[in-house]
Amino acid sequence: MTIRVLIVDDQALVRGGFRSILEGQEDIEVVGEAADGAEAVDAALSLLPDVVLMDIRMPRMDGIEAARRLLRDGRCPARVLMLTTFDEEEYVYQSLRAGASGFLLKSAPPRELAGAVRTVAAGEALLTPEITRRMIEEYVRRPRPGTTRPAGLERLTPRELEVLGLIARGRSNAEISADLFLSEPTVKTHVTRILAKLALRDRVQAVVFAYECGLVQPGH
């Protein structure tokens, strides 16, 4: 299958660089470009890409707000991969809370960009590189005024709580299977039920949820 990608960045040279990298991949097709968040939402709804590469800092509408609007709309099945040179932890956290499936610095090697697109397109969580988890952990470690702890843990069975805790620690389905002595299909079923019960889009949001509600403590 060919992965259809929309590139969103306010700098034409940056868009061109991303296009050059991705068009060199046999399984990736760049279907369009946008220069700001508002254009990105319109283009995504029109082109229906599989993955949107979204810059965070842009004029008119930033990438975080564009991701939030696009993913709440429901008409486009795209997953959003955030790209930025601004590696402050608050941007990462806000991006993931908006529904983005991952976060990658623009300085990442070309092979990491293509690999990240494939990972996100496959529906997997982009919980690595490790810097992303460290940023999330550091940000959620600090209390944020006006933020309430999310409810929903009571809906999960004891086994589902175990699985959620391991997801939050970055474990893959295969690793969870080995840790809990379960088959991988059983683990996949647990993950699907967890996301459905908590109304979460993917494993990345499950990680944020687990930290916010205190199921997993930063550094553990």
Side-chain angles (χ1 to χ4, degrees):
M1 291 181 60
T2 299
I3 303 170
R4 294 163 49 81
V5 177
L6 171 66
I7 300 173
V8 185
D9 194 286
D10 61 327
Q11 299 183 46
L13 286 176
V14 173
R15 295 197 305 273
F18 289 155
R19 177 183 281 274
S20 178
I21 292 170
L22 295 177
E23 287 187 337
Q25 310 298 313
E26 293 183 355
D27 59 336
I28 297 176
E29 175 189 3
V30 177
V31 296
E33 299 180 12
D36 59 50
E39 285 185 14
V41 174
D42 291 341
L45 293 177
S46 172
L47 298 170
L48 301 180
D50 300 304
V51 176
V52 178
L53 291 182
M54 185 85 77
D55 187 23
I56 289 183
R57 297 287 295 271
M58 294 183 292
R60 282 217 298 168
M61 182 188 298
D62 64 29
I64 296 172
E65 179 60 24
R68 184 179 295 114
R69 293 190 185 188
L70 178 61
L71 296 172
R72 284 180 179 176
D73 185 281
R75 287 178 288 170
C76 177
R79 291 178 172 269
V80 177
L81 175 61
M82 305 301 292
L83 290 159
T84 186
T85 55
F86 297 84
D87 55 352
E88 294 88 353
E89 62 269 19
E90 184 170 353
Y91 288 128
V92 177
Y93 186 76
Q94 290 180 358
S95 297
L96 298 181
R97 289 209 66 189
S101 295
F103 178 94
L104 195 67
L105 295 178
K106 290 181 180 178
S107 58
R111 66 180 182 278
E112 286 192 17
L113 174 60
V117 168
R118 294 187 183 101
T119 297
V120 169
E124 297 294 330
L126 192 65
L127 301 180
T128 55
E130 186 64 21
I131 186 173
T132 300
R133 284 191 62 198
R134 288 203 303 269
M135 287 178 182
I136 297 172
E137 290 181 353
E138 179 60 28
Y139 191 66
V140 301
R141 189 193 305 272
R142 303 193 304 268
R144 296 178 300 284
T147 299
T148 58
R149 287 169 50 125
L153 285 182
E154 71 281 355
R155 303 173 197 155
L156 304 184
T157 66
R159 178 63 84 186
E160 288 167 349
L161 285 172
E162 285 185 287
V163 172
L164 177 58
L166 291 172
I167 290 173
R169 291 177 174 86
R171 300 287 201 277
S172 66
N173 283 357
E175 290 169 333
I176 295 173
S177 172
D179 288 343
L180 299 182
F181 303 101
L182 300 171
S183 69
E184 285 195 51
T186 298
V187 173
K188 186 175 181 179
T189 297
H190 283 310
V191 173
T192 299
R193 289 176 178 169
I194 289 167
L195 297 180
K197 287 182 179 181
L198 300 179
L200 301 173
R201 179 180 175 88
D202 53 29
R203 293 169 76 109
V204 174
Q205 288 194 330
V207 171
V208 174
F209 179 93
Y211 278 110
E212 283 191 328
C213 70
L215 180 65
V216 176
Q217 295 298 318
H220 288 184

